[in-house]
Amino acid sequence: MLQSLINLLYPTLCNGCDALLLEYEDTICTRCRHDLPFTHHYRNPGNETAQKFYGRLPLEHASSLVYFHKDGMVQELIHNLKYRKQQSVGRVMGGLYAPLLKQVPELATVTDIIPVPLHPRRLRERGYNQVTEFGLVLSAGMEVSYTDDILVRETYPKTQTKKGREKRAAGVGSAFGIRNAEVHVGKHFLLIDDVITTGATLEACGKLLLEIPGARLSIVTIAYAQS
């Protein structure tokens, strides 16, 4: 009775289309889940995410769960996740991807899931890292550690959205640092982020992780931005 009253006064809306969620629906309505533009990257080693890093990073695996299009449903989902405190979006997307990633042989040796970090000031402003819940669900589903204290962001970022890959790379190349590298020798890191556009941030983070002796690297994102 109380929950019904709460739902009446404060209805829960779909994070993809703003439709009223039914009692059995969680975060994203059934229609939006059906319409998610899945990439199926995990099945194809030569997928678009992997191609993005060709010649830039030696990767064991790279993939994204869904396509991101301007003004599309995934853009709305990521916007809600990133700026409207809808962390449940990350949990849902992690729940969709974890069982698929478990099928990828190259990921069987992953030891640690590493989120792209936020600068402490940005973390205070936002209140959370938007990929944390995504990573925690992947961690549980893949049965590997979630480790958020290896990579750190050392400079407060200015907006990069209108810059090309070269300018972005120059802007983020020295933005990150590694902590306690000596205790992570020989590990296989799965680096995660919300959306891949130019890949400059992931490249900068990946290069640092690969400086750890014996390290191997894979990359997974929620979304791949298609032009």
Side-chain angles (χ1 to χ4, degrees), residues 14 22 35 61 64 75 91 112 115 139 149 155 160 199 208 210 218-219:
C14 172
L22 300 178
D35 291 341
H61 170 85
S64 304
Q75 182 182 40
R91 289 195 291 273
D112 296 79
S139 170
D149 59 356
T155 61
Q160 302 278 328
L208 280 175
L210 287 171
S218 294
I219 287 175

Side-chain angles (χ1 to χ4, degrees), residues 11-27:
T12 306
L13 304 180
C14 172
N15 278 268
C17 68
D18 286 336
L20 184 66
L21 287 179
L22 300 178
E23 189 172 332
Y24 60 86
E25 294 176 327
D26 176 24
T27 304

Side-chain angles (χ1 to χ4, degrees), residues 98-172:
L100 303 179
L101 296 178
K102 282 278 283 185
Q103 302 174 32
V104 178
E106 291 81 5
L107 296 179
T109 57
V110 166
T111 56
D112 296 79
I113 293 175
I114 312 292
V116 169
L118 297 181
H119 186 271
R121 176 179 161 191
R122 177 60 56 81
L123 187 60
R124 288 194 298 271
E125 290 169 349
R126 186 172 296 164
Y128 61 97
N129 185 328
Q130 69 269 17
V131 295
T132 294
E133 293 299 323
F134 177 66
L136 288 172
V137 173
L138 291 186
S139 170
M142 299 173 70
E143 300 179 274
V144 297
S145 297
Y146 179 80
T147 310
D148 62 359
D149 59 356
I150 298 178
L151 268 177
V152 294
R153 180 133 200 172
E154 297 179 331
T155 61
Y156 185 78
K158 296 180 180 179
T159 181
Q160 302 278 328
T161 55
K162 295 184 179 180
K163 296 181 180 180
R165 184 175 76 83
E166 292 78 11
K167 289 185 177 180
R168 279 196 177 201
V172 301

Side-chain angles (χ1 to χ4, degrees), residues 6-59:
I6 292 173
N7 291 342
L8 181 63
L9 295 174
Y10 305 101
T12 306
L13 304 180
C14 172
N15 278 268
C17 68
D18 286 336
L20 184 66
L21 287 179
L22 300 178
E23 189 172 332
Y24 60 86
E25 294 176 327
D26 176 24
T27 304
I28 306 172
C29 71
T30 302
R31 179 177 179 178
C32 282
R33 288 191 187 224
H34 181 269
D35 291 341
L36 281 170
F38 291 108
T39 67
H40 304 292
H41 279 177
Y42 74 99
R43 297 177 178 170
N44 175 20
N47 66 67
E48 294 147 301
T49 300
Q51 290 175 19
K52 184 77 74 172
F53 297 101
Y54 182 78
R56 297 163 64 183
L57 286 174
L59 299 177

